Amino acid sequence: MSEPVRTMGDIGRRIALRRQQLGLTREEVAARAGTAPAYLQYVEDKPAAAPGTGFLLMLANALETTVAELRGGGADLPPGVGRAAYHPELLELDPQECRARLSTHGVGRVAVSTPHGPAIVPVNYAVVDGAVVFRTAPDAAPALAAGTEAAFEVDHIDEALSQGWSVLVVGRAEHVTDPAAIQHLADEARTGPWAGGDRELWVRIAPERITGRRIQVR
């Protein structure tokens, strides 16, 4: 099987996405990396931009990630095939840290019961007013979470270091039907369904329990 083709423009998109996940402006990232905001904008916006390794090292440090992640080296690799670290340590995350990690990501998984049995489906989500919210279609599997006690999970895996974390949210899921509430969610959410199409049904999961774990290397 041939390897996927990636363009240099992918780096710009990954930089912009990571910056947005951290809630940082171009000026703030540029100051961290010791570069000019105008050059950072050029790298983000121009598909032909080809930043050097030295610049990417500084930028990866500023964005709290790795050069491999910015280059998309693990984008098509199944997580979890690496060896365990020599001295792994499994830690419980406190609720505050769970919420902080939950708010930095945009794709998670919701568990639902379907006519064909249990299923776990990915959704693009946001955290608004402390609740997990996502858009879906009325006949799509994620919509089945409404009216139930739902489980929602998000995680991050660092394959190179054999470490990562996961956060689990359990709470009552409900359809959002109030027009003012729907408009509020639309204004506050920073991401939409990647699947596209008519997915205007909002589902909100109000956390009743939130737990998390992290594997680190001692």
Side-chain angles (χ1 to χ4, degrees), residues 51-101:
T53 301
F55 173 79
L56 287 178
L57 283 169
M58 293 187 295
L59 193 58
N61 184 61
L63 293 171
E64 301 172 19
T65 185
T66 65
V67 172
E69 287 292 330
L70 293 180
R71 285 175 168 165
D76 303 286
L77 298 177
V81 297
R83 294 179 180 271
Y86 284 112
H87 299 288
E89 186 176 10
L90 181 62
L91 303 175
E92 298 289 332
L93 301 178
D94 62 44
Q96 182 177 0
E97 189 170 6
C98 287
R99 291 187 178 90
R101 292 173 185 266

Side-chain angles (χ1 to χ4, degrees), residues 21-160:
Q21 288 174 340
L22 295 175
L24 298 173
T25 65
R26 282 199 183 106
E27 289 73 18
E28 289 170 329
V29 173
R32 287 186 177 190
T35 190
Y39 181 65
L40 180 58
Q41 180 177 1
Y42 170 78
V43 172
E44 287 187 359
D45 294 344
K46 300 295 183 181
T53 301
F55 173 79
L56 287 178
L57 283 169
M58 293 187 295
L59 193 58
N61 184 61
L63 293 171
E64 301 172 19
T65 185
T66 65
V67 172
E69 287 292 330
L70 293 180
R71 285 175 168 165
D76 303 286
L77 298 177
V81 297
R83 294 179 180 271
Y86 284 112
H87 299 288
E89 186 176 10
L90 181 62
L91 303 175
E92 298 289 332
L93 301 178
D94 62 44
Q96 182 177 0
E97 189 170 6
C98 287
R99 291 187 178 90
R101 292 173 185 266
L102 186 69
S103 65
T104 62
H105 283 58
V107 177
R109 303 168 189 83
V110 60
V112 296
S113 179
T114 76
H116 306 289
I120 298 175
V121 289
V123 293
N124 296 92
Y125 78 97
V127 177
V128 179
D129 300 329
V132 172
V133 298
F134 59 87
R135 280 169 45 199
T136 187
D139 58 349
L144 296 173
T148 71
E149 185 181 43
F152 177 86
E153 189 265 354
V154 63
D155 57 46
H156 176 74
I157 305 299
D158 188 328
E159 183 71 18

